[in-house]
Amino acid sequence: MTNPYVPTGAPAPKWARKRYVLPALGLAFFLGIGAGAGGSQPDGDAKPAVAEARPTATVTATATVTAQPETEPEPAPTVTETVKVKVTRTVTAEPAADPGTDESSGGSGGGSVSYDNCAAARAAGAAPVHRGDPGYGRHLDRDGDGTGCDWG
């Protein structure tokens, strides 16, 4: 794709560039001569122009702001409300041992509670778990002494 802003032909000759610059310089030259010749002072008694000191009026406005003490807001009124609370206690009974379960057999303990690991037994507050207690299992007793989750 070609650039539409770049001329596609041969570059312009140097005289074509000069036809704008030279007339502009000539015009500036003649304006400068005309401006210099239009003086109002006579040529024989030319004195350089000296700036005169003149008094000027300066107005300065100063604004003084006095800080006002901030008043503290009044405290909000305190409302006291009396509430009656009814306390309910939940008592969980220990599960009764199955009459068919022998506690010395080393089985899975009595009851329907079981723990997957010692962390679950500790979280429930049942560790250490002894043989015959609800939740005891051989997988919790790694040394086989009848007490599960007794380590660390």
Side-chain angles (χ1 to χ4, degrees):
M1 184 166 138
T2 60
N3 189 349
Y5 299 106
V6 176
T8 56
K14 290 185 179 184
W15 64 264
R17 282 182 259 154
K18 291 180 185 175
R19 72 176 158 178
Y20 294 111
V21 174
L22 290 178
L25 286 175
L27 179 64
F29 177 72
F30 287 117
L31 288 176
I33 289 175
S40 62
Q41 293 182 351
D43 289 335
D45 205 0
K47 292 182 182 177
V50 178
E52 295 181 21
R54 294 183 186 164
T56 58
T58 304
V59 178
T60 304
T62 304
T64 305
V65 178
T66 305
Q68 298 293 331
E70 293 184 18
T71 58
E72 293 193 21
E74 294 183 23
T78 304
V79 178
T80 305
E81 185 176 333
T82 305
V83 178
K84 290 186 178 183
V85 178
K86 183 177 180 181
V87 178
T88 305
R89 291 183 60 192
T90 303
V91 178
T92 305
E94 300 258 343
D98 253 349
T101 305
D102 183 13
E103 295 204 6
S104 62
S105 67
S108 243
S112 63
V113 179
S114 64
Y115 302 108
D116 293 333
N117 52 31
C118 288
R122 283 190 199 94
V129 183
H130 299 284
R131 185 178 293 143
D133 288 345
Y136 175 81
R138 289 187 183 179
H139 64 284
L140 301 175
D141 188 7
R142 71 177 183 177
D143 55 0
D145 63 351
T147 303
C149 302
D150 58 343
W151 40 270

